Amino acid sequence: METLFPHLSSTGPSPSHLEVMATYRSSFAALVNKGSLRPLVLPYHMYGCLLLLLYLCIPHTQQPVIYAVRWPVLVVILAFQWKTLWEATSMSMATGFAAGLVAAWGAVWSVTWLVLNRPQFDAKRVNRRKRRGVGRFGVKTGIGKGEEWEEGSGERSGEERGEGEQNNGVTKQGNGSATGYRNGSAELKYRGKAEGITNGKLEKDDGGVEYYWQPYPDNFLDRFTWTSDLLINFRGPGWNWAIPPLPPMPPFITSQLGEEVTARSISGKSSVGLQRYDTRSELARARLPTFIVGYFLLDILKVVMIKDPYYIFGPNTYALPAHLEGYSPLTLQFIRQAISSLSIIVSLEMVFLLAPIFLSLICGSRIFGLRAEPWYYATTWGSWSNITHKGLNGLWGGWWHQTFRFAFTAPSNYLIQNGYVKAGSPTAKFLAFVFAFGISGILHAGGSVSQFPSTYSSHAPIFFMLQALGIVIQMSVCSAGRGVIRKFPAVVRRVGNSAFVFCWLFYTGWWLTDDFARGGIWLYEPIPFSVLRGLGFGAEGEGWWCWGHIGVGWYEGRHWWESGIAI
């Protein structure tokens, strides 16, 4: 949006990140006062998402007219998201990027649920309720038919409304794959008690609670919670559309749902290496140390990055800091891409850890019900073996976080399910790559557009489409040379896959990392307290407290509905 420093012409020392942020804040405030720019305002800039929520709360399975209204509703949402994309930003640099990404995501998510899927017809989630007639220790509860309590809900069960375990005869797994949770090996299936498994995986002291499939509810309050869960649950744990990389649900739930208990359900590990935790203690032992280490890593990375003008302006002509002088351009590029990549991964992991730590460990299921159970929060990153075994395809399809996978695959799955494209055909595979990496490019381009400093928003889509190209090249070469490649030892093939991934990312990664830096995203303050800066390792004027300019306040719009909390 704005270019306020001569970073492409000046050859002297770079201004400090504190000077740069002070200049940005001053310019931002002036543009907001002029009315040419708006901070990210809540709830105003969420109106598009709220409209999607409210529309899906209105039953339309028996109302063709209401179902047809989804088209004008979608047009309104897309128009509002487009408006948000171009007018909203923030002086919290990560929030500024998120403003555009969320605007684009709102549009993509709306198309996913209004056009490419029919949630009221097909979707259902796992819910829990008190067991009928018998309490925790076999004592009668006095709860009879039509009176059972459902956690977080006052609705009657689907069975009592004449609905069976299947909704429209289909239990769909995410990404258009088949029925039920299919992450387990087909040849390793168990029938819980029939196999005599007594290790506690199938039997659990559940306090008189049972699990069941909940289709689209009858009353408004239950529809509201059901639909809210649908829209904020990107990976789909506990839903019949859960993405395949997730581990299956725990055996003590799967067995109650009348589904097969697979070996992967018992182990809690998915086909790509994501791990499920069934108790709060397991979750705490695994995730709290990761959070603590991540916190200090962010502190170290921030101190390192603020000493290099690249992470303040992106590519620039300022003098290099002393510790980077003398390196060749390729070495310098490697160092900067490595630090950028590590910062991206750690920052994402810290964001992903907030939900399990707050909802499950701090609040627990007494407050948030089923959505606070530990099994809901599988790990984010797959096994490294995805890369060594499958190369670039394994990196993006198995190792990298799969948060947006359902939306990325929804267009190609829609075409397959409706007979426009044959599953497994070259056309289907090509479209899957184009849609997945194209949508990802659009989301990141949205984040680039909404950043306050000037960026090149076309660079993110170029980067992601180059990843699709790299996958096609590697798969084609491996297919053509299969006979020769098979003769190499397994370790050589794995090193070859890893080397290709490293080289491809090295020579294409700058399209994304340069634009992240150009937009000032690394100027964001990731942590409230900094040990290193408190000890004097930061810039002059910095100390222990880092959120002195967090920038949250009240924004007064021209109309009352435009006013709200500015972040």
Side-chain angles (χ1 to χ4, degrees), residues 102-119:
V102 171
W105 174 249
V108 170
W109 208 220
S110 297
V111 172
T112 299
W113 288 119
L114 295 180
V115 179
L116 305 177
N117 291 276
R118 306 189 310 162

Side-chain angles (χ1 to χ4, degrees), residues 39 141 540:
T141 61
E540 185 178 351

Side-chain angles (χ1 to χ4, degrees), residues 5 38 51 58 100 158 171 203 281-282 323 339 375 377 416-417 448 475 483 506:
F5 292 90
R38 195 193 303 250
L51 177 58
I58 302 173
T171 301
E203 302 276 345
S281 60
E282 288 179 358
H323 67 281
I339 293 174
W375 63 268
Y377 301 101
I416 292 171
Q417 291 165 7
S448 180
M475 291 175 66
F506 178 77

Side-chain angles (χ1 to χ4, degrees), residues 142-209:
I143 299 177
K145 183 176 180 179
E147 300 175 11
E148 74 273 15
W149 168 84
E150 300 181 6
E151 183 160 27
S153 167
E155 87 163 305
R156 296 188 303 154
S157 68
E159 294 91 332
E160 291 185 29
R161 298 197 308 267
E163 301 170 42
E165 287 299 317
Q166 304 294 321
N167 191 27
N168 291 347
V170 177
T171 301
K172 293 200 298 183
Q173 174 75 3
N175 298 345
S177 52
T179 59
Y181 282 78
R182 295 187 56 192
N183 295 332
S185 302
E187 70 277 9
L188 295 174
K189 293 182 178 178
Y190 298 85
R191 277 289 189 180
K193 295 178 182 177
E195 293 292 327
I197 297 172
T198 58
N199 62 356
K201 291 281 187 178
L202 294 176
E203 302 276 345
K204 182 183 178 184
D205 181 8
D206 53 21
V209 169

Side-chain angles (χ1 to χ4, degrees), residues 30 155 168 257 360 381 399 504:
E155 87 163 305
N168 291 347
L257 299 176
S360 186
W381 311 92
W399 181 79
W504 192 263

Side-chain angles (χ1 to χ4, degrees), residues 9-290:
S9 58
S10 178
T11 57
S14 165
S16 74
H17 73 288
L18 296 178
E19 296 175 84
V20 172
M21 283 303 302
T23 302
Y24 283 165
R25 279 191 289 269
S26 176
S27 177
F28 176 77
L31 291 171
V32 170
N33 289 334
K34 271 175 52 178
S36 56
L37 198 62
R38 195 193 303 250
L40 184 65
V41 179
L42 302 179
Y44 175 70
H45 286 121
M46 297 301 293
Y47 285 166
C49 297
L50 292 174
L51 177 58
L52 175 63
L53 170 64
L54 293 176
Y55 171 75
L56 289 177
C57 285
I58 302 173
H60 55 240
T61 56
Q62 304 296 327
Q63 301 290 336
V65 174
I66 296 178
Y67 186 52
V69 170
R70 73 190 189 282
W71 293 107
V73 167
L74 179 62
V75 170
V76 172
I77 292 174
L78 295 179
F80 190 82
Q81 298 303 109
W82 181 260
K83 178 175 179 291
T84 298
L85 174 64
W86 291 99
E87 75 172 8
T89 187
S90 174
M91 275 298 93
S92 172
M93 292 308 198
T95 304
F97 181 86
L101 188 145
V102 171
W105 174 249
V108 170
W109 208 220
S110 297
V111 172
T112 299
W113 288 119
L114 295 180
V115 179
L116 305 177
N117 291 276
R118 306 189 310 162
Q120 291 191 14
F121 295 88
D122 301 326
K124 45 183 188 175
R125 66 174 183 172
V126 173
N127 208 352
R128 68 184 193 181
R129 63 187 168 207
K130 288 184 179 178
R131 293 187 183 277
R132 302 180 193 178
V134 180
R136 181 173 182 177
F137 301 104
V139 179
K140 291 186 177 181
T141 61
I143 299 177
K145 183 176 180 179
E147 300 175 11
E148 74 273 15
W149 168 84
E150 300 181 6
E151 183 160 27
S153 167
E155 87 163 305
R156 296 188 303 154
S157 68
E159 294 91 332
E160 291 185 29
R161 298 197 308 267
E163 301 170 42
E165 287 299 317
Q166 304 294 321
N167 191 27
N168 291 347
V170 177
T171 301
K172 293 200 298 183
Q173 174 75 3
N175 298 345
S177 52
T179 59
Y181 282 78
R182 295 187 56 192
N183 295 332
S185 302
E187 70 277 9
L188 295 174
K189 293 182 178 178
Y190 298 85
R191 277 289 189 180
K193 295 178 182 177
E195 293 292 327
I197 297 172
T198 58
N199 62 356
K201 291 281 187 178
L202 294 176
E203 302 276 345
K204 182 183 178 184
D205 181 8
D206 53 21
V209 169
E210 65 179 355
Y211 297 84
Y212 68 100
W213 281 116
Q214 182 190 33
Y216 190 71
D218 285 338
N219 69 67
F220 178 78
L221 179 59
D222 298 324
R223 292 198 300 270
F224 183 83
T225 57
W226 188 94
T227 304
S228 299
D229 192 16
L230 176 86
L231 296 180
I232 64 176
N233 205 334
F234 300 160
R235 296 196 296 178
W239 285 84
N240 64 338
W241 52 267
I243 61 173
L246 281 181
M249 289 181 285
F252 67 85
I253 295 178
T254 306
S255 59
Q256 291 189 37
L257 299 176
E259 299 182 2
E260 289 179 311
V261 177
T262 66
R264 291 200 184 278
S265 178
I266 294 171
S267 70
K269 180 165 286 190
S270 76
S271 58
V272 300
L274 301 187
Q275 182 64 53
R276 187 193 71 229
Y277 304 105
D278 293 346
T279 67
R280 293 175 76 190
S281 60
E282 288 179 358
L283 184 68
R285 286 195 300 269
R287 311 312 274 154
L288 288 179
T290 303

Side-chain angles (χ1 to χ4, degrees), residues 10-14 309 316-321 325:
S10 178
T11 57
S14 165
N316 64 86
T317 57
Y318 287 118
L320 285 172
E325 291 178 353

